[in-house]
Amino acid sequence: ETGVYKTKLNADGTVLKPRARLVARGNEQEEGVDFWETFSPVVRTATIRTVLHVAVTKKWMIKQLDVQNAFLHGDLKESVYMMQPPGFEDLMKPDHVCKLKKAIYGLKQAPRAWFDKFSKFLLQFGFQCSFPDPSLFIYHRGTDVIYLLLYVDDMILTGNNEILLKVLLEKLSSVFRMKDMGSIHYFLGIQVHQCEDGL
């Protein structure tokens, strides 16, 4: 493991915040020993455009959300051990190691563990995972419709029932460290400008 220091930027290149993370050396992991499954779905550009088209046509609110430290929410299925982090060593037990219960950045299974945890929450809420694009989650009960697009820790949320959307956001925030970024403005290289008659 090692410390990684990085500056997070806004879409326009200005500094948002400095960031420091404890990161595992995933290159030292062995498949079949330290991890089994690493694949995590990635949303398609065509799906993003389709959801935005539906939302604009029906005049739905489109929100952009971010999960802070997303990979740290993922539960590990495998037993993973790491050396004591630099600066946090126990001088009385220098040969001891740490057993991870949650994923950390750098582990090869971290993206998958996060996706599994988040998608499980959505399925319990009543969403279904889209078969053509597993990063699109659809909630459909009676006349209520919600679409949620997930790309790692960024997401787009839209639907026809603002009260239900608020309930979903409250439940999400009670489990994950959510950041409501307001109306969509920049998502996966797509810059969005809102006007009175659409995007």
Side-chain angles (χ1 to χ4, degrees):
E1 69 290 329
T2 185
V4 172
Y5 305 94
K6 192 176 175 183
T7 302
K8 188 170 184 180
L9 303 176
N10 291 308
D12 60 3
T14 57
V15 175
L16 177 62
K17 62 182 174 182
R19 190 161 57 185
R21 281 187 179 144
L22 176 67
V23 178
R25 294 183 187 140
N27 61 314
E28 296 180 1
Q29 289 184 282
E30 291 182 40
E31 186 173 1
V33 176
D34 300 306
F35 65 91
W36 296 100
E37 184 67 52
T38 61
F39 173 76
S40 182
V42 177
V43 69
R44 299 175 185 162
T45 305
T47 308
I48 298 170
R49 291 177 183 272
T50 303
V51 169
L52 291 179
H53 173 76
V54 170
V56 169
T57 303
K58 296 184 177 290
K59 298 187 176 354
W60 292 347
M61 173 181 65
I62 308 169
K63 294 188 78 67
Q64 187 169 0
L65 308 168
D66 178 72
V67 183
Q68 298 179 26
N69 301 317
F71 286 0
L72 305 184
H73 291 287
D75 299 317
L76 291 173
K77 296 175 183 173
E78 307 88 353
S79 293
V80 179
Y81 298 88
M82 68 177 221
M83 294 166 51
Q84 297 179 43
F88 295 92
E89 298 95 341
D90 186 340
L91 299 178
M92 303 296 290
K93 304 169 185 173
D95 297 330
H96 283 214
V97 294
C98 303
K99 181 178 181 182
L100 298 178
K101 294 181 180 178
K102 299 268 189 184
I104 64 172
Y105 287 85
L107 291 178
K108 291 188 177 180
Q109 66 267 50
R112 180 66 187 200
W114 155 244
F115 183 85
D116 287 346
K117 177 88 176 256
F118 192 75
S119 58
K120 183 179 178 185
F121 171 89
L122 292 177
L123 294 174
Q124 288 174 343
F125 189 87
F127 280 84
Q128 290 186 327
C129 188
S130 167
F131 182 75
D133 191 335
S135 293
L136 170 62
F137 294 87
I138 302 167
Y139 179 96
H140 192 195
R141 293 285 184 280
T143 58
D144 296 329
V145 178
I146 300 175
Y147 294 129
L148 188 146
L149 281 169
L150 177 65
Y151 178 78
V152 190
D153 57 354
D154 291 318
M155 60 193 78
I156 293 174
L157 182 66
T158 188
N160 65 352
N161 185 329
E162 292 193 20
I163 294 172
L164 185 58
L165 286 172
K166 188 176 178 183
V167 170
L168 173 61
L169 285 171
E170 287 173 355
K171 291 201 172 184
L172 281 169
S173 297
S174 70
V175 179
F176 307 105
R177 292 184 64 200
M178 303 294 299
K179 182 177 179 184
D180 187 341
M181 300 176 74
S183 297
I184 183 172
H185 54 279
Y186 188 82
F187 187 77
L188 282 187
I190 299 174
Q191 201 164 10
V192 181
H193 295 283
Q194 301 205 22
C195 50
E196 290 183 9
D197 57 349
L199 298 180

